[in-house]
Amino acid sequence: MPEFTGFPVEALIFFEGLEADNSKAYWTDHRDTYEKAVRAPMLALLDALEPEFGAPHVFRPHRDVRFSKDKSPYKTAIGAHNERGGYVQVSARGLMIAAGYWQTAPDQVERLRVAVADDRTGPRLEALVRELREAGYEVSGTTLKTRPRGYDADHPRIELLRHRTLTAARDFGEPPWLAEPECAEYVAAGWRETRRLTGWLDDHVGASRLPAARRGSR
C-alpha cells in the first residue's frame, strides 16, 4: 500500500462534478480520477491508521436505490469506518470525521436509556457530550419528539433520554492540511477524542442481543 500523502484537491473537484451530474456517463469519464484521487488516498489513510484503530471498511460508491425516490446511482462522498467505531468521509465540502452508534435495535435503546437515567453512569455521558461540544463536535442522533415512556419530562437528562442513536461529528471543511500527510494525524486525533463517547456506549449499551429479524429500532 502506498504511503498516505493527503487528499488532493482533485478529490473535491470530482465530487463537485458528481453532484452536478450524477450519471453513469460522468462516473465512467472520471473513473480514473476517482481511483487515483479519492479511493487510493482513502485506502492509504485507513492502512496507516489500522494498527491503532482496527480493521477498516470502505463503503461502496453505488447507492441502494431500491426503496428510494432519489434514483441517483452514486454517493456524493466516500466514507469508511473502523472496528473501533470511527468514521471518516470526504466529499465536495471536504473532510468530516465521526463516531458513535448510528443504528440501534430496541434492546440497545432500552440499555441506553437505563444508563442515561442512572445517576452513576448518566452524569459521565452528560460530561462527555459537553466536552465534545466545547471541542467543536456536533453531538446528535435520532431522537423522540417527546419524552420516552416511563421517564419524567423534567428529568435532568431528558435531552439525552430522548436519543435512540448517539453520534459525535466534526466537519473540518477544506483545511490546508487536507492535501498533506499530516491529515492522518488530525483524523487520528479526532478518533481518539470521540473514542470516549464510543467507549461509554460500548460499556453501557453494547451490541444488540436480539435476532436480526427483531432489530428494527423504535
Side-chain angles (χ1 to χ4, degrees), residues 7-8 10-15 18 26-43 58-63 74-80 90-91:
F7 290 96
E10 287 80 7
L12 279 60
I13 294 173
F14 168 83
F15 283 119
L18 187 61
Y26 177 89
W27 183 268
T28 300
D29 290 344
H30 298 82
R31 181 62 183 264
D32 188 60
T33 300
Y34 171 79
E35 294 292 342
K36 293 180 179 179
V38 179
R39 181 174 168 79
M42 178 62 80
L43 292 177
V58 181
F59 292 102
R60 62 197 301 267
H62 300 83
R63 297 180 63 248
Y74 303 103
K75 298 174 183 175
T76 54
I78 184 170
V90 173
S91 69

Side-chain angles (χ1 to χ4, degrees), residues 44-60:
L45 170 68
L46 297 171
D47 183 68
L49 298 180
E50 182 173 355
E52 180 176 353
F53 298 101
H57 170 77
V58 181
F59 292 102
R60 62 197 301 267

